[in-house]
Amino acid sequence: MTGFSTTASALLQRAAQRTLHGGVLPGARLSFGMQNSFSFSSLLRLSGGHTREISTAGSSANSKVLLALRSPALAGRNNFLRAAAGTAIPNKPAIRNWLAQANLLKRFSSTLASDTVVDGAESLKSRSGPKRRTVDAPIVGYWTLFCASMVFGIIVWGGLTRLTESGLSIVEWAPITGAKLPTSDEQWESEFEKYKQFPEYHKVHIGITLDDFKKIYFMEWFHRNIGRLFGIVYLVPAAYFVSKGMVTRAGMAKIGGLGLLLLGQGAMGWYMVASGLEKELGERPDAVPRVSQYRLTSHLSLAYLLYAGLSLYGWNVFRANRLARNKIANPETLRALMLKPSIVSYRRKITAATLLVGTTCLSGAMVAGLDAGLYYNEFPTMGEGLTPPLIDLWNVFYARGKPETDMWRNLTENPVTVQLEHRILAMTTFFTLSALWWQGRRLPLPRAARVMLHTMYGFAWLQVALGISTLVNFVPVAYASAHQANSVLLLASALGLYHTLRPFKMLPK
């Protein structure tokens, strides 16, 4: 027994003196022998005084082994003592003492072995560096959705600027100095004199007064300044989030792509305005000083893309964080539902319908660019039938003197033809969304997808009503602006439905 006690004492001494990093506790000594003396005062101080009482099998009422372990809650798994113990084993038969000591050594060795495995894993983790972020910070989602709301406001105000024929009132592109509104009479007179040098003053706003000029000038100035503010709201937080490591690598790529889209949108805005300031528009008797419908459509398409990208990014950030925090009930079941063939097929149809909604919105930009809403202000007919006379649809005037090769220009430059195209696209979109709504009602869609489905269909009805009202009332500003704003909401609801039907990626555990 004396030999076993010596061996056990040596093993326990070595184990107790090792920390998780392999260090030695200075001054810690342990004696184990038949005289029942453990001296662990120093270890108890380091362990924080937390002890666990273990009854020793076969011992008397006073036979107890106290195993003191450092609390993981206080020091974590990275740095706590293997064990600290104090015992008073009575002088009983040798076999009982041997069993008690063997039981203590077995428990102690088991704890030491498990902690060693944890120690190795933690050491490897610490050597591998900081853990890579798997989801963007929630604030990134709030930020992107706020930016999307700003884009929505810019689109609506830009439509008002177009409807009030104010977009050509500022004839210079000054990204920095142009942010200041003229304040003195001299500054206003200077801006007014610049405007008088361009065709719109002589053909559209003929004899406009300075007070009227101030009104249209403010419309365009405010539109440009909202764009400037949006650039700051986007770029400054983006740089902060990236520098603080609050976005994933994929998030950085998305932020960079959306930033490039933002810069392209600003450049396209001025490129569009410049098309309405060309001197040729004043020299041609048949020309109307207005921006190119091609550039207007490009400008609006970039705005829609920016809005869609920001919205989808923000929604994805929120979904990923809810998944990471276990806020989504039964995610595996929900993912399995999204992967069912019927749901996958339906999602593809929704994707095609969303693209159709976007195409219809852009055809509306062509209508606005050509003032095509001022022709055939009736519905559903156009003149004596559902379509206007062929001479109105396919006129050699729009071939620009090349009827053999350029008659195709009627498709994009003839206001009557462009309006008919918009009508066809609008009704096709409406009936497509109606069919998808009817089909979706019979599918086992999640609650969020079902809400978005009904929302999308409601906006579709409202869009048709606003479009018809705008047409038959000769394009009043209020109706036309509401029609454009609702088109963005319709697109947003279609994107929202598409998003809710996407099977989310399970995060690594």
Side-chain angles (χ1 to χ4, degrees), residues 208-294:
I208 188 176
T209 64
L210 179 60
D211 289 338
D212 292 334
F213 172 73
K214 289 180 179 181
K215 295 176 182 178
I216 63 173
Y217 187 97
F218 177 80
M219 294 291 295
E220 175 65 9
W221 174 85
F222 190 72
H223 181 56
R224 294 190 185 189
N225 271 355
I226 298 176
R228 291 184 177 99
L229 178 62
F230 174 70
I232 296 173
V233 170
Y234 183 84
L235 296 176
V236 173
Y240 176 80
F241 294 143
V242 171
S243 65
K244 294 297 182 180
M246 301 174 69
V247 294
T248 62
R249 291 185 178 180
M252 293 180 191
K254 293 175 183 178
I255 289 175
L258 292 171
L260 292 176
L261 194 59
L262 166 62
L263 297 177
Q265 170 73 347
M268 179 56 71
W270 172 246
Y271 184 59
M272 175 192 69
V273 171
S275 66
L277 300 176
E278 296 176 356
K279 299 294 185 180
E280 180 185 357
L281 297 174
E283 298 170 356
R284 286 171 43 197
D286 60 320
V288 179
R290 59 189 175 205
V291 299
S292 165
Q293 72 272 23
Y294 301 112

Coordinates of all heavy atoms in Angstrom, one line a residue, residues 208-294:
I208 N -41.4 82.5 -69.4 CA -41.5 82.1 -68.0 C -40.9 83.3 -67.2 O -39.9 83.9 -67.6 CB -40.8 80.8 -67.7 CG1 -41.0 80.3 -66.3 CG2 -39.3 80.9 -68.0 CD1 -40.4 79.0 -66.0
T209 N -41.5 83.6 -66.0 CA -41.0 84.6 -65.2 C -39.9 84.0 -64.2 O -39.7 82.8 -64.1 CB -42.1 85.2 -64.3 OG1 -42.6 84.2 -63.5 CG2 -43.2 85.7 -65.2
L210 N -39.2 84.9 -63.6 CA -38.2 84.5 -62.6 C -38.8 83.7 -61.5 O -38.2 82.7 -61.0 CB -37.4 85.7 -62.1 CG -36.3 85.4 -61.1 CD1 -35.2 84.5 -61.7 CD2 -35.7 86.7 -60.6
D211 N -40.0 84.1 -61.0 CA -40.6 83.4 -59.9 C -41.0 82.0 -60.3 O -40.8 81.0 -59.5 CB -41.8 84.2 -59.4 CG -41.5 85.4 -58.7 OD1 -40.3 85.5 -58.2 OD2 -42.3 86.3 -58.6
D212 N -41.5 81.8 -61.5 CA -41.8 80.5 -62.0 C -40.5 79.7 -62.2 O -40.5 78.4 -62.0 CB -42.6 80.6 -63.3 CG -44.0 81.2 -63.1 OD1 -44.5 81.0 -62.0 OD2 -44.5 81.8 -64.1
F213 N -39.5 80.3 -62.7 CA -38.2 79.6 -62.8 C -37.7 79.1 -61.5 O -37.1 78.0 -61.4 CB -37.2 80.5 -63.5 CG -35.8 80.0 -63.6 CD1 -35.5 79.0 -64.5 CD2 -34.8 80.4 -62.7 CE1 -34.2 78.4 -64.5 CE2 -33.5 79.9 -62.8 CZ -33.2 78.9 -63.7
K214 N -37.9 79.9 -60.5 CA -37.4 79.4 -59.1 C -38.1 78.1 -58.7 O -37.5 77.3 -58.1 CB -37.6 80.5 -58.1 CG -36.7 81.7 -58.2 CD -37.1 82.8 -57.2 CE -36.1 84.0 -57.3 NZ -36.4 85.0 -56.2
K215 N -39.3 78.0 -59.1 CA -40.1 76.8 -58.7 C -39.5 75.5 -59.4 O -39.3 74.5 -58.8 CB -41.6 76.9 -59.0 CG -42.2 78.1 -58.2 CD -43.7 78.2 -58.7 CE -44.3 79.4 -57.9 NZ -45.8 79.6 -58.3
I216 N -39.3 75.6 -60.7 CA -38.8 74.4 -61.4 C -37.4 74.2 -61.1 O -36.9 73.1 -61.1 CB -39.1 74.6 -62.9 CG1 -38.3 75.8 -63.5 CG2 -40.5 74.7 -63.3 CD1 -38.3 75.8 -65.0
Y217 N -36.6 75.3 -60.8 CA -35.2 75.1 -60.4 C -35.1 74.4 -59.1 O -34.3 73.5 -58.9 CB -34.6 76.5 -60.3 CG -33.1 76.5 -60.0 CD1 -32.2 76.6 -61.1 CD2 -32.6 76.3 -58.8 CE1 -30.8 76.6 -60.9 CE2 -31.2 76.3 -58.5 CZ -30.3 76.5 -59.6 OH -29.0 76.4 -59.4
F218 N -36.0 74.7 -58.1 CA -36.0 74.0 -56.9 C -36.3 72.5 -57.0 O -35.7 71.7 -56.3 CB -37.0 74.7 -55.9 CG -37.0 74.0 -54.6 CD1 -36.1 74.2 -53.6 CD2 -38.0 73.0 -54.3 CE1 -36.1 73.6 -52.4 CE2 -38.1 72.4 -53.1 CZ -37.1 72.6 -52.1
M219 N -37.2 72.2 -57.9 CA -37.5 70.8 -58.1 C -36.3 70.0 -58.5 O -36.0 68.9 -57.9 CB -38.6 70.6 -59.1 CG -40.0 71.2 -58.7 SD -40.8 70.3 -57.4 CE -41.1 68.7 -58.3
E220 N -35.6 70.5 -59.5 CA -34.4 69.8 -60.0 C -33.2 69.8 -58.9 O -32.5 68.9 -58.7 CB -33.9 70.4 -61.3 CG -32.6 69.8 -61.8 CD -32.7 68.4 -62.2 OE1 -33.8 67.8 -62.2 OE2 -31.6 67.8 -62.5
W221 N -33.1 71.0 -58.3 CA -32.0 71.1 -57.3 C -32.3 70.2 -56.1 O -31.3 69.5 -55.6 CB -32.0 72.6 -56.7 CG -31.1 72.8 -55.6 CD1 -29.8 73.1 -55.6 CD2 -31.4 72.7 -54.2 NE1 -29.2 73.2 -54.4 CE2 -30.2 73.0 -53.5 CE3 -32.6 72.5 -53.5 CZ2 -30.2 73.0 -52.1 CZ3 -32.6 72.5 -52.1 CH2 -31.4 72.8 -51.4
F222 N -33.5 70.0 -55.7 CA -33.8 69.1 -54.6 C -33.6 67.7 -55.0 O -33.1 66.8 -54.2 CB -35.2 69.3 -54.1 CG -35.6 68.6 -52.8 CD1 -35.0 69.0 -51.6 CD2 -36.4 67.5 -52.8 CE1 -35.3 68.4 -50.4 CE2 -36.7 66.8 -51.6 CZ -36.1 67.3 -50.4
H223 N -33.9 67.3 -56.2 CA -33.7 66.0 -56.7 C -32.2 65.6 -56.7 O -31.8 64.5 -56.3 CB -34.3 65.9 -58.1 CG -34.1 64.5 -58.7 ND1 -34.6 63.4 -58.1 CD2 -33.5 64.1 -59.9 CE1 -34.3 62.3 -58.9 NE2 -33.7 62.7 -60.0
R224 N -31.4 66.6 -57.2 CA -30.0 66.3 -57.2 C -29.4 66.2 -55.8 O -28.5 65.4 -55.5 CB -29.2 67.4 -58.0 CG -29.6 67.4 -59.5 CD -28.7 68.4 -60.2 NE -29.1 68.5 -61.6 CZ -28.3 69.1 -62.5 NH1 -27.2 69.7 -62.2 NH2 -28.8 69.2 -63.8
N225 N -29.9 67.1 -54.9 CA -29.3 67.0 -53.5 C -29.7 65.8 -52.7 O -29.0 65.3 -51.9 CB -29.8 68.3 -52.8 CG -28.8 69.4 -53.0 OD1 -27.7 69.2 -53.6 ND2 -29.1 70.6 -52.5
I226 N -30.9 65.3 -53.0 CA -31.3 64.0 -52.4 C -30.3 62.9 -52.9 O -29.9 62.1 -52.1 CB -32.7 63.6 -52.8 CG1 -33.7 64.6 -52.3 CG2 -33.0 62.2 -52.2 CD1 -35.2 64.2 -52.7
G227 N -29.9 63.0 -54.2 CA -28.9 62.0 -54.7 C -27.6 62.2 -54.0 O -26.9 61.2 -53.7
R228 N -27.2 63.5 -53.8 CA -25.9 63.7 -53.1 C -26.0 63.2 -51.6 O -25.0 62.5 -51.1 CB -25.6 65.2 -53.0 CG -25.3 65.8 -54.4 CD -24.9 67.3 -54.2 NE -24.5 67.9 -55.5 CZ -25.3 68.6 -56.2 NH1 -26.6 68.9 -55.8 NH2 -24.9 69.2 -57.4
L229 N -27.1 63.4 -51.0 CA -27.2 62.9 -49.6 C -27.2 61.4 -49.5 O -26.6 60.8 -48.7 CB -28.5 63.5 -49.0 CG -28.9 63.0 -47.6 CD1 -27.8 63.5 -46.6 CD2 -30.3 63.5 -47.2
F230 N -27.9 60.8 -50.5 CA -27.9 59.3 -50.6 C -26.4 58.8 -50.7 O -26.1 57.8 -50.1 CB -28.8 58.8 -51.7 CG -28.7 57.4 -51.9 CD1 -29.3 56.5 -51.0 CD2 -28.1 56.8 -53.0 CE1 -29.2 55.1 -51.2 CE2 -28.0 55.5 -53.2 CZ -28.6 54.6 -52.3
G231 N -25.6 59.5 -51.5 CA -24.3 59.0 -51.7 C -23.5 59.0 -50.4 O -22.7 58.1 -50.1
I232 N -23.7 60.1 -49.6 CA -23.1 60.1 -48.3 C -23.6 59.0 -47.3 O -22.8 58.4 -46.7 CB -23.2 61.5 -47.7 CG1 -22.6 62.6 -48.5 CG2 -22.7 61.6 -46.2 CD1 -22.9 64.0 -48.1
V233 N -24.9 58.9 -47.3 CA -25.5 57.9 -46.4 C -25.1 56.5 -46.8 O -25.0 55.6 -45.9 CB -27.1 58.0 -46.5 CG1 -27.8 56.9 -45.8 CG2 -27.5 59.4 -45.9
Y234 N -24.8 56.3 -48.0 CA -24.4 54.9 -48.4 C -22.9 54.7 -48.2 O -22.4 53.8 -47.6 CB -24.7 54.7 -49.9 CG -24.3 53.3 -50.3 CD1 -25.2 52.2 -50.1 CD2 -23.1 53.0 -51.0 CE1 -24.9 50.9 -50.5 CE2 -22.8 51.7 -51.3 CZ -23.7 50.7 -51.1 OH -23.3 49.4 -51.4
L235 N -22.0 55.6 -48.8 CA -20.6 55.4 -48.8 C -19.9 55.5 -47.4 O -19.0 54.7 -47.1 CB -19.9 56.4 -49.8 CG -20.4 56.3 -51.2 CD1 -19.7 57.4 -52.1 CD2 -20.0 54.9 -51.8
V236 N -20.3 56.4 -46.6 CA -19.7 56.6 -45.3 C -19.9 55.4 -44.4 O -19.0 54.8 -43.8 CB -20.1 57.9 -44.6 CG1 -19.6 58.0 -43.2 CG2 -19.6 59.1 -45.5
P237 N -21.2 55.0 -44.2 CA -21.4 53.8 -43.3 C -20.8 52.5 -43.9 O -20.3 51.7 -43.2 CB -22.9 53.7 -43.2 CG -23.4 55.1 -43.5 CD -22.5 55.6 -44.5
A238 N -20.8 52.4 -45.3 CA -20.2 51.3 -45.9 C -18.7 51.1 -45.6 O -18.3 50.1 -45.2 CB -20.4 51.4 -47.4
A239 N -18.0 52.3 -45.6 CA -16.6 52.2 -45.3 C -16.4 51.9 -43.8 O -15.5 51.1 -43.4 CB -16.0 53.6 -45.6
Y240 N -17.3 52.4 -42.9 CA -17.2 52.1 -41.5 C -17.4 50.6 -41.2 O -16.7 49.9 -40.5 CB -18.2 52.9 -40.7 CG -18.2 52.6 -39.3 CD1 -17.3 53.1 -38.4 CD2 -19.2 51.8 -38.7 CE1 -17.3 52.8 -37.0 CE2 -19.3 51.5 -37.4 CZ -18.3 52.0 -36.5 OH -18.4 51.7 -35.2
F241 N -18.5 50.0 -41.8 CA -18.8 48.6 -41.6 C -17.7 47.7 -42.1 O -17.4 46.7 -41.4 CB -20.1 48.3 -42.2 CG -21.3 49.0 -41.7 CD1 -22.4 49.4 -42.5 CD2 -21.4 49.2 -40.3 CE1 -23.5 50.1 -41.9 CE2 -22.5 49.9 -39.7 CZ -23.5 50.3 -40.6
V242 N -17.2 48.0 -43.2 CA -16.1 47.2 -43.7 C -14.8 47.3 -42.9 O -14.2 46.3 -42.6 CB -15.8 47.6 -45.2 CG1 -14.5 46.8 -45.7 CG2 -17.0 47.2 -46.1
S243 N -14.5 48.5 -42.4 CA -13.3 48.7 -41.6 C -13.4 48.0 -40.3 O -12.4 47.5 -39.7 CB -13.0 50.2 -41.5 OG -14.0 50.8 -40.7
K244 N -14.6 47.9 -39.7 CA -14.8 47.3 -38.4 C -15.1 45.8 -38.5 O -15.3 45.1 -37.5 CB -16.0 48.0 -37.7 CG -15.7 49.4 -37.3 CD -14.6 49.6 -36.4 CE -14.4 51.0 -36.0 NZ -13.2 51.1 -35.0
G245 N -15.0 45.2 -39.7 CA -15.2 43.8 -39.8 C -16.7 43.4 -39.6 O -16.9 42.3 -39.1
M246 N -17.6 44.2 -39.9 CA -19.0 43.9 -39.6 C -19.8 43.2 -40.7 O -21.0 43.0 -40.6 CB -19.7 45.2 -39.1 CG -19.1 45.8 -37.9 SD -19.9 47.4 -37.5 CE -21.5 47.0 -37.0
V247 N -19.1 43.0 -41.8 CA -19.7 42.4 -43.0 C -18.8 41.2 -43.4 O -17.6 41.2 -43.2 CB -19.8 43.3 -44.2 CG1 -20.8 44.4 -43.8 CG2 -18.5 44.0 -44.6
T248 N -19.4 40.2 -44.0 CA -18.7 39.1 -44.5 C -18.0 39.4 -45.8 O -18.2 40.5 -46.4 CB -19.7 37.9 -44.8 OG1 -20.6 38.3 -45.8 CG2 -20.4 37.5 -43.5
R249 N -17.2 38.5 -46.3 CA -16.6 38.7 -47.6 C -17.6 38.9 -48.8 O -17.4 39.7 -49.6 CB -15.6 37.6 -47.9 CG -14.4 37.6 -47.0 CD -13.4 36.5 -47.4 NE -12.2 36.5 -46.6 CZ -11.2 35.7 -46.7 NH1 -11.2 34.7 -47.7 NH2 -10.1 35.7 -45.9
A250 N -18.6 38.0 -48.7 CA -19.7 38.2 -49.7 C -20.4 39.5 -49.6 O -20.7 40.1 -50.6 CB -20.6 37.0 -49.6
G251 N -20.6 40.0 -48.3 CA -21.2 41.2 -48.1 C -20.4 42.4 -48.6 O -20.9 43.4 -49.2
M252 N -19.0 42.3 -48.5 CA -18.2 43.3 -49.1 C -18.3 43.4 -50.6 O -18.4 44.5 -51.2 CB -16.7 43.0 -48.7 CG -16.4 43.1 -47.3 SD -14.6 42.7 -47.0 CE -14.6 42.6 -45.2
A253 N -18.4 42.3 -51.3 CA -18.6 42.3 -52.7 C -19.9 42.9 -53.1 O -20.0 43.7 -54.1 CB -18.5 40.9 -53.2
K254 N -21.0 42.6 -52.3 CA -22.3 43.2 -52.6 C -22.3 44.7 -52.4 O -22.8 45.5 -53.2 CB -23.3 42.5 -51.8 CG -23.6 41.1 -52.1 CD -24.6 40.5 -51.1 CE -24.8 39.0 -51.4 NZ -25.7 38.3 -50.4
I255 N -21.7 45.1 -51.3 CA -21.6 46.6 -51.0 C -20.8 47.3 -52.1 O -21.2 48.4 -52.5 CB -21.0 46.8 -49.6 CG1 -21.9 46.4 -48.5 CG2 -20.6 48.3 -49.4 CD1 -21.4 46.4 -47.1
G256 N -19.7 46.7 -52.5 CA -18.9 47.3 -53.6 C -19.7 47.4 -54.9 O -19.7 48.4 -55.6
G257 N -20.4 46.3 -55.3 CA -21.2 46.3 -56.5 C -22.3 47.4 -56.4 O -22.5 48.1 -57.4
L258 N -23.0 47.5 -55.3 CA -24.0 48.5 -55.2 C -23.5 49.9 -55.2 O -24.1 50.8 -55.7 CB -24.8 48.2 -53.9 CG -25.7 47.0 -53.9 CD1 -26.3 46.7 -52.5 CD2 -26.8 47.1 -54.9
G259 N -22.3 50.0 -54.7 CA -21.6 51.4 -54.7 C -21.3 51.8 -56.2 O -21.5 52.9 -56.5
L260 N -20.8 50.8 -57.0 CA -20.5 51.1 -58.4 C -21.8 51.5 -59.1 O -21.9 52.3 -60.0 CB -19.8 49.9 -59.0 CG -18.4 49.6 -58.6 CD1 -17.9 48.3 -59.2 CD2 -17.5 50.8 -58.9
L261 N -22.9 50.7 -58.7 CA -24.2 51.0 -59.3 C -24.7 52.5 -59.0 O -25.2 53.2 -59.8 CB -25.2 50.0 -58.9 CG -26.5 49.9 -59.6 CD1 -26.3 49.6 -61.1 CD2 -27.4 48.9 -59.0
L262 N -24.4 52.9 -57.8 CA -24.7 54.2 -57.3 C -24.0 55.3 -58.1 O -24.6 56.2 -58.6 CB -24.4 54.3 -55.8 CG -24.4 55.8 -55.2 CD1 -25.8 56.4 -55.4 CD2 -24.0 55.7 -53.8
L263 N -22.7 55.1 -58.3 CA -21.9 56.0 -59.1 C -22.4 56.1 -60.5 O -22.4 57.1 -61.1 CB -20.4 55.6 -59.0 CG -19.8 55.7 -57.6 CD1 -18.4 55.2 -57.6 CD2 -19.9 57.1 -57.0
G264 N -22.7 54.9 -61.1 CA -23.2 54.9 -62.4 C -24.5 55.6 -62.6 O -24.8 56.2 -63.6
Q265 N -25.3 55.5 -61.6 CA -26.6 56.1 -61.6 C -26.4 57.7 -61.6 O -27.1 58.4 -62.4 CB -27.4 55.7 -60.3 CG -28.7 56.5 -60.1 CD -29.8 56.2 -61.0 OE1 -29.5 55.5 -62.1 NE2 -31.0 56.6 -60.8
G266 N -25.5 58.2 -60.8 CA -25.3 59.6 -60.9 C -24.7 60.1 -62.2 O -25.2 61.1 -62.7
A267 N -23.8 59.3 -62.8 CA -23.3 59.7 -64.1 C -24.4 59.6 -65.2 O -24.4 60.5 -66.0 CB -22.1 58.8 -64.4
M268 N -25.2 58.6 -65.1 CA -26.3 58.5 -66.1 C -27.3 59.6 -66.0 O -27.9 60.1 -67.0 CB -27.0 57.1 -65.9 CG -28.1 56.9 -66.9 SD -27.7 57.0 -68.6 CE -26.7 55.6 -68.9
G269 N -27.5 60.1 -64.7 CA -28.4 61.2 -64.5 C -28.0 62.5 -65.3 O -28.8 63.1 -66.0
W270 N -26.7 62.8 -65.2 CA -26.2 64.0 -66.0 C -26.2 63.7 -67.5 O -26.5 64.6 -68.3 CB -24.9 64.4 -65.5 CG -24.3 65.5 -66.4 CD1 -23.2 65.4 -67.2 CD2 -24.8 66.8 -66.6 NE1 -23.0 66.5 -67.9 CE2 -24.0 67.4 -67.6 CE3 -25.9 67.5 -66.1 CZ2 -24.2 68.7 -68.0 CZ3 -26.1 68.8 -66.5 CH2 -25.3 69.4 -67.4
Y271 N -25.8 62.5 -67.9 CA -25.9 62.1 -69.3 C -27.3 62.2 -69.9 O -27.5 62.7 -71.0 CB -25.3 60.7 -69.4 CG -25.2 60.2 -70.8 CD1 -24.4 60.8 -71.8 CD2 -25.9 59.0 -71.3 CE1 -24.2 60.4 -73.0 CE2 -25.8 58.6 -72.6 CZ -25.0 59.2 -73.4 OH -24.8 58.8 -74.7
M272 N -28.3 61.9 -69.1 CA -29.7 62.1 -69.5 C -30.0 63.5 -69.6 O -30.6 63.9 -70.6 CB -30.6 61.4 -68.4 CG -32.1 61.6 -68.7 SD -33.1 61.1 -67.3 CE -32.6 62.4 -66.1
V273 N -29.7 64.4 -68.6 CA -30.0 65.8 -68.7 C -29.3 66.4 -69.9 O -29.9 67.3 -70.6 CB -29.6 66.5 -67.4 CG1 -29.7 68.0 -67.5 CG2 -30.5 66.0 -66.2
A274 N -28.1 66.0 -70.2 CA -27.4 66.7 -71.3 C -28.1 66.4 -72.6 O -27.9 67.3 -73.5 CB -25.9 66.1 -71.3
S275 N -28.8 65.3 -72.7 CA -29.5 65.0 -74.0 C -30.6 66.0 -74.3 O -31.0 66.3 -75.4 CB -30.1 63.6 -74.0 OG -31.1 63.5 -73.0
G276 N -31.1 66.7 -73.2 CA -32.2 67.7 -73.4 C -31.7 69.1 -73.6 O -32.5 70.0 -73.8
L277 N -30.4 69.2 -73.5 CA -29.8 70.6 -73.6 C -29.1 70.8 -75.0 O -28.4 71.8 -75.2 CB -28.7 70.8 -72.5 CG -29.3 70.7 -71.1 CD1 -28.2 70.9 -70.0 CD2 -30.4 71.8 -70.8
E278 N -29.2 69.8 -75.9 CA -28.5 69.9 -77.2 C -29.1 71.1 -78.0 O -30.4 71.2 -78.1 CB -28.7 68.6 -77.9 CG -28.0 67.4 -77.2 CD -28.2 66.1 -77.9 OE1 -28.9 66.1 -78.9 OE2 -27.6 65.1 -77.5
K279 N -28.3 71.8 -78.6 CA -28.7 73.0 -79.4 C -29.5 72.5 -80.6 O -30.4 73.3 -81.1 CB -27.5 73.7 -79.9 CG -26.6 74.3 -78.8 CD -27.2 75.4 -78.0 CE -26.3 76.0 -77.0 NZ -27.0 77.1 -76.2
E280 N -29.3 71.3 -81.1 CA -30.1 70.8 -82.3 C -31.6 70.8 -82.0 O -32.4 71.0 -82.9 CB -29.6 69.4 -82.6 CG -30.3 68.8 -83.8 CD -29.9 67.4 -84.0 OE1 -29.0 66.9 -83.3 OE2 -30.4 66.7 -85.0
L281 N -32.0 70.6 -80.8 CA -33.4 70.6 -80.4 C -34.1 71.9 -80.6 O -35.3 72.0 -80.9 CB -33.6 70.1 -79.0 CG -33.1 68.7 -78.6 CD1 -33.2 68.5 -77.1 CD2 -33.9 67.7 -79.4
G282 N -33.3 73.0 -80.6 CA -33.9 74.3 -80.9 C -33.9 74.7 -82.3 O -34.6 75.5 -82.8
E283 N -33.0 74.0 -83.1 CA -32.9 74.3 -84.5 C -33.9 73.5 -85.4 O -34.3 74.0 -86.4 CB -31.5 74.0 -85.0 CG -30.4 74.8 -84.3 CD -29.0 74.4 -84.6 OE1 -28.9 73.3 -85.3 OE2 -28.1 75.0 -84.1
R284 N -34.3 72.3 -84.9 CA -35.3 71.5 -85.7 C -36.7 71.9 -85.3 O -37.1 71.9 -84.2 CB -35.1 70.0 -85.4 CG -33.8 69.4 -86.0 CD -33.6 68.0 -85.5 NE -34.8 67.2 -85.4 CZ -34.9 66.1 -84.7 NH1 -33.9 65.7 -83.9 NH2 -36.1 65.5 -84.7
P285 N -37.5 72.3 -86.3 CA -38.9 72.7 -86.0 C -39.8 71.6 -85.4 O -40.6 71.9 -84.6 CB -39.5 73.1 -87.4 CG -38.2 73.3 -88.3 CD -37.2 72.4 -87.8
D286 N -39.5 70.3 -85.7 CA -40.3 69.3 -85.2 C -39.8 68.7 -83.9 O -40.4 67.8 -83.3 CB -40.3 68.1 -86.3 CG -39.0 67.6 -86.5 OD1 -38.0 68.4 -86.6 OD2 -38.8 66.3 -86.6
A287 N -38.7 69.2 -83.4 CA -38.1 68.6 -82.2 C -38.7 69.3 -81.0 O -39.0 70.5 -80.9 CB -36.6 68.8 -82.2
V288 N -38.8 68.5 -79.9 CA -39.3 68.9 -78.6 C -38.1 68.8 -77.6 O -37.6 67.7 -77.5 CB -40.5 68.1 -78.1 CG1 -41.0 68.6 -76.8 CG2 -41.6 68.1 -79.1
P289 N -37.8 69.9 -77.0 CA -36.7 69.9 -76.0 C -37.1 69.0 -74.8 O -37.8 69.5 -73.9 CB -36.5 71.3 -75.6 CG -37.1 72.1 -76.7 CD -38.3 71.3 -77.2
R290 N -36.6 67.8 -74.8 CA -36.8 66.9 -73.6 C -35.7 65.9 -73.6 O -35.0 65.7 -74.7 CB -38.2 66.3 -73.7 CG -38.4 65.4 -74.9 CD -39.8 65.0 -75.0 NE -40.1 64.3 -76.2 CZ -41.3 64.2 -76.8 NH1 -42.3 64.8 -76.2 NH2 -41.5 63.5 -77.9
V291 N -35.5 65.3 -72.5 CA -34.4 64.3 -72.4 C -34.7 63.1 -73.3 O -35.9 62.8 -73.6 CB -34.2 63.8 -71.0 CG1 -33.8 65.0 -70.1 CG2 -35.4 63.1 -70.4
S292 N -33.7 62.4 -73.7 CA -33.8 61.2 -74.5 C -34.6 60.1 -73.7 O -34.3 59.8 -72.6 CB -32.5 60.7 -74.9 OG -32.5 59.3 -75.4
Q293 N -35.6 59.5 -74.4 CA -36.3 58.5 -73.7 C -35.5 57.2 -73.4 O -35.7 56.5 -72.4 CB -37.6 58.0 -74.5 CG -37.3 57.3 -75.8 CD -37.0 58.2 -77.0 OE1 -36.7 59.3 -76.8 NE2 -37.3 57.7 -78.2
Y294 N -34.4 57.0 -74.2 CA -33.5 55.9 -74.0 C -32.7 56.2 -72.7 O -32.5 55.3 -71.9 CB -32.5 55.8 -75.2 CG -33.2 55.5 -76.5 CD1 -33.2 56.5 -77.5 CD2 -33.9 54.3 -76.8 CE1 -33.9 56.3 -78.7 CE2 -34.5 54.1 -78.0 CZ -34.5 55.1 -79.0 OH -35.1 54.8 -80.2

